[in-house]
Amino acid sequence: DSTFAMAWRKLGIALGRRGGEFARELAAFEKAVELRDRLTDRERYTALGTYYSAVDDRERAIAAYRSLLDLYPDDVTGLNNLSLLYSVQRDYERALELRRRALTLEPTNWLFYSNLAHSEVAVGDWAAAESTIDSLAAALPGHPRIEALRVFLGYARGDYDASESHVLALREAERGSAVWQARTSNYLAIITQTRGQLAAAERHRRDEAATNEQRGFAAARRDQAFNSAWFDLWFRGDTVSALRKVDEALERYPLEMRAPLDRPYLETAWFFAFAGEPERAREYLAAWEAEIDPLIQRGLDFRHGVRGVIALAEGRFEDAIEGMRAWDQRVCAVCALSEVAYTYDRAGVPDSALAAYERFITTPWLARGGGDSWWLGWSFERLGALYEERGNTERAIYYYGKLVELWKDADPELQPRVEAARRAISVLSPDQ
């Protein structure tokens, strides 16, 4: 039935969970909204809230879900989705309250346990999050999300051995699932990358890409090539190799192969700006601005970060800081903090850089892996150096020590940085 509005909405939800097809996802949500006159009040507010969330019009999305809950206070979809919006706004206490209500109403829904655990960590209640995961295990024995949440919890606490153990248990339990094989490859890549084990991380990324390609993700190989280029650029300092890999990937997998909304214009612009080629970055930013509807552009917060990193590459430090801060204010508590810190650092504002690095590494967050795998070692290293420059030897020794511990088993190419940290500790130690 092509006029089944709520089926269009649910199709959009399914596409979003699958990933990589935002164009189809948004088209499905738009179709549901076009058909809203056929819906009940309950369904209409749900469809509107989903659509406005997709285009990141948060005020309208919140208004839609509040209207839904005014009429139906026990609507679990409304409770859950409104909690997500509050969480993005960093109103974690309000999100926590809504998630508790949702779980009470539907105690066999794994998603509500997961979201509740995220909120509990966000407010710093690690024991409550652990208890919530145990409750999920009691309610739904054997569900793969139990081990997945334990992976996240161990990682967020810095217990990478425990996190890896849970990944391997999950991988074995779900060996017949391509979805979970890809996810566990991703988890292993994050853990090994965080520890500076680059060869292992790249191997896991290749495994993830191969599995996703088998699942029908056309961009999997292209994304893996970009990831390899980032390894060269960020960890190895080999800009020539990084640019070569990206140029080869763009030639082999042209962006035009995908729908405009699914083309990674912004991600490509970010790479070129970070690699010191702001002119090429501007070309991709301009293409994105020309092809994407302004309404959707407004909802993609990453645009602020891209403009910020282009400004940074061009030496326009005030504009760079403004762009990064605008991005940080629209995403999760740690999602852009590392980039904010880096920008202050490059701009020669050490006090602000130090404060932002500190906030990045100390802010409790359950899903830290995406950022930490790139930024944690760097943050420890820079905090050590910044504190050393300020004459705070105690804090400098502490953070140099954190880097040494994190990267003690890192690949040989990172060991010179570990040795430099060890030397700094030796020189700064009071008994020398």
Side-chain angles (χ1 to χ4, degrees):
D1 181 356
S2 61
T3 63
F4 189 173
M6 294 305 279
W8 282 110
R9 176 193 170 272
K10 202 63 176 179
L11 175 61
I13 296 293
L15 288 166
R17 289 179 178 168
R18 185 172 186 266
E21 296 182 87
F22 184 57
R24 291 183 63 202
E25 176 187 350
L26 187 60
F29 292 147
E30 287 175 339
K31 189 67 174 179
V33 170
E34 288 175 11
L35 297 167
R36 63 186 179 275
D37 289 344
R38 301 171 59 88
L39 300 175
T40 65
D41 288 342
R42 187 175 205 155
E43 293 170 330
R44 182 167 61 255
Y45 286 129
T46 301
L48 288 169
T50 303
Y51 170 74
Y52 288 132
S53 295
V55 298
D56 209 24
D57 189 339
R58 296 178 192 171
E59 290 73 20
R60 287 187 176 182
I62 288 172
Y65 286 124
R66 281 178 172 169
S67 295
L68 170 63
L69 292 171
D70 284 343
L71 293 173
Y72 305 97
D74 291 341
D75 187 285
V76 291
T77 298
L79 290 168
N80 179 69
N81 292 359
L82 184 56
S83 80
L84 293 172
L85 291 162
Y86 285 144
S87 185
V88 174
Q89 291 187 329
R90 305 184 189 180
D91 190 346
Y92 301 124
E93 293 290 351
R94 191 178 291 184
L96 187 61
E97 176 189 353
L98 294 173
R99 288 172 175 181
R100 285 173 177 157
R101 285 172 56 192
L103 185 57
T104 300
L105 291 164
E106 201 167 295
T108 58
N109 189 323
W110 71 263
L111 180 62
F112 296 164
Y113 287 95
S114 177
N115 287 347
L116 179 59
H118 278 78
S119 287
E120 288 164 339
V121 170
V123 299
D125 195 342
W126 296 91
E130 190 166 1
S131 177
T132 294
I133 297 169
D134 289 342
S135 296
L136 171 59
L140 298 170
H143 197 289
R145 293 288 175 174
I146 301 163
E147 285 298 305
L149 285 170
R150 287 174 175 155
V151 170
F152 297 158
L153 190 65
Y155 185 98
R157 284 173 160 170
D159 189 346
Y160 304 118
D161 287 338
S163 184
E164 184 174 15
S165 176
H166 289 299
V167 175
L168 296 175
L170 176 58
R171 191 174 183 84
E172 175 61 24
E174 298 296 324
R175 57 186 179 275
S177 167
V179 171
W180 283 106
Q181 292 302 299
R183 287 175 178 167
T184 52
S185 291
N186 176 262
Y187 299 161
L188 289 169
I190 286 171
I191 294 168
T192 50
Q193 182 177 326
T194 303
R195 289 172 144 173
Q197 296 161 358
L198 306 184
E202 288 196 278
R203 184 176 69 253
H204 293 309
R205 295 285 185 190
R206 288 193 295 271
D207 290 344
E208 178 189 9
T211 305
N212 280 332
E213 190 173 44
Q214 292 171 4
R215 294 173 59 209
F217 286 86
R221 290 293 183 183
R222 178 262 175 207
D223 293 344
Q224 190 270 325
F226 261 68
N227 190 81
S228 180
W230 272 111
F231 270 59
D232 288 346
L233 181 65
W234 183 241
F235 290 111
R236 301 183 177 110
D238 190 344
T239 303
V240 173
S241 175
L243 288 170
R244 176 180 53 78
K245 287 180 178 179
V246 166
D247 286 337
E248 289 174 354
L250 290 172
E251 182 176 354
R252 186 171 182 181
Y253 311 105
L255 269 57
E256 291 73 21
M257 292 173 61
R258 304 172 71 180
L261 268 179
D262 296 329
R263 295 172 190 169
Y265 286 125
L266 294 181
E267 292 83 353
T268 306
W270 176 275
F271 175 86
F272 281 120
F274 221 95
E277 298 205 359
E279 299 84 3
R280 295 188 69 182
R282 285 193 171 280
E283 291 175 8
Y284 286 96
L285 177 61
W288 177 78
E289 290 172 337
E291 293 190 25
I292 305 303
D293 186 296
L295 173 64
I296 299 171
Q297 287 186 31
R298 189 190 66 172
L300 294 173
D301 303 313
F302 187 43
R303 75 190 190 282
H304 297 298
V306 171
R307 288 167 181 153
V309 77
I310 291 173
L312 185 63
E314 294 173 340
R316 295 183 291 107
F317 296 130
E318 289 187 6
D319 291 339
I321 291 168
E322 181 182 352
M324 292 299 182
R325 291 184 63 183
W327 180 29
D328 176 54
Q329 291 166 7
R330 295 286 294 173
V331 293
C332 85
V334 299
C335 289
L337 259 181
S338 50
E339 288 85 349
V340 170
Y342 178 81
T343 303
Y344 278 126
D345 205 354
R346 287 279 305 278
V349 190
D351 289 350
S352 295
L354 192 150
Y357 281 129
E358 286 266 19
R359 281 196 298 128
F360 169 65
I361 64 173
T362 59
T363 298
W365 199 253
L366 191 55
R368 292 195 62 98
D372 280 12
S373 60
W374 296 99
W375 288 99
L376 189 59
W378 170 273
S379 298
F380 288 154
E381 190 174 36
R382 289 303 300 150
L383 280 166
L386 288 166
Y387 275 119
E388 183 180 0
E389 291 167 7
R390 294 162 67 98
N392 190 331
T393 57
E394 181 180 355
R395 297 298 286 171
I397 289 170
Y398 173 77
Y399 280 115
Y400 282 136
K402 295 289 284 185
L403 176 65
V404 170
E405 175 61 24
L406 182 69
W407 280 1
K408 63 181 184 293
D409 297 320
D411 286 357
E413 56 207 304
L414 295 181
Q415 286 303 323
R417 292 164 67 178
V418 178
E419 288 304 314
R422 286 197 177 102
R423 287 194 300 271
I425 292 171
S426 179
V427 170
L428 294 171
S429 294
D431 59 347
Q432 296 299 313

